[in-house]
Amino acid sequence: MDLLGVGIYVKNSPEAVELYKSAFGLELGYHVLNDDGTYFHSELTKNGENFCSVVEAKEAKSVVYNPIQLGHTFETRRELEHAFLVLKDGGKVELDICELPWSPCAAIVADRFGVNWYLTLRQHRPSDDWTPESGD
């Protein structure tokens, strides 16, 4: 079964590739460059598995609100904290690193390219009586 692939379209795709490589420990796989050195297509992988692709956006658009949020589950808090620090540089923190009823450690950050990221450790189901208002 094929999994859904994620393509991230940004301005300054070489910088975005380096940011995501650093944040998530990725490697640049197959890629094709435009004449100006930006990416026509790039595949970022982790342990040989596809993570995402990064492509140079043709038009500069101001991102006011991007309703799409990409999520990544980390094995360790240290990995999550590293990605959070890298992604928040020039970006905007929506939810600082914290415990949530369904995750022992999570954060939400929009990176400097306007991409929204939900970072988490392995999640678990909250109790049946949990509500956003109760916070327990």
Side-chain angles (χ1 to χ4, degrees):
M1 167 187 270
D2 290 332
L3 298 175
L4 178 66
V6 175
I8 302 172
Y9 288 74
V10 298
K11 294 305 284 177
N12 197 354
S13 55
E15 186 178 333
V17 164
E18 293 306 313
L19 177 77
Y20 302 143
K21 282 173 51 181
S22 176
F24 299 105
L26 304 175
E27 295 180 359
L28 176 62
Y30 175 76
H31 59 280
V32 177
L33 295 174
N34 291 311
D35 290 338
D36 63 1
T38 60
Y39 288 101
F40 178 78
H41 175 77
S42 69
E43 295 176 3
L44 296 175
T45 63
K46 184 163 188 160
N47 302 323
E49 299 290 325
N50 288 333
F51 185 86
C52 69
S53 67
V54 177
V55 177
E56 185 71 20
K58 295 190 185 314
E59 297 177 21
K61 294 182 179 178
S62 173
V63 178
V64 175
Y65 175 70
N66 182 348
I68 302 299
Q69 182 180 78
L70 303 177
H72 185 69
T73 300
F74 294 88
E75 294 298 320
T76 69
R77 183 181 178 105
R78 184 174 176 207
E79 292 173 321
L80 184 148
E81 289 172 347
H82 171 77
F84 179 76
L85 289 174
V86 172
L87 294 171
K88 79 174 193 173
D89 184 23
K92 180 180 178 193
V93 174
E94 298 294 329
L95 176 68
D96 212 340
I97 295 174
C98 65
E99 183 177 347
L100 297 172
W102 56 87
S103 174
C105 181
I108 300 173
V109 60
D111 67 32
R112 64 179 169 255
F113 300 103
V115 177
N116 296 303
W117 294 94
Y118 172 71
L119 311 175
T120 186
L121 294 181
R122 295 237 175 260
Q123 299 183 27
H124 55 273
R125 185 181 170 136
S127 64
D128 289 336
D129 60 343
W130 185 88
T131 66
E133 294 78 29
S134 72
D136 297 329

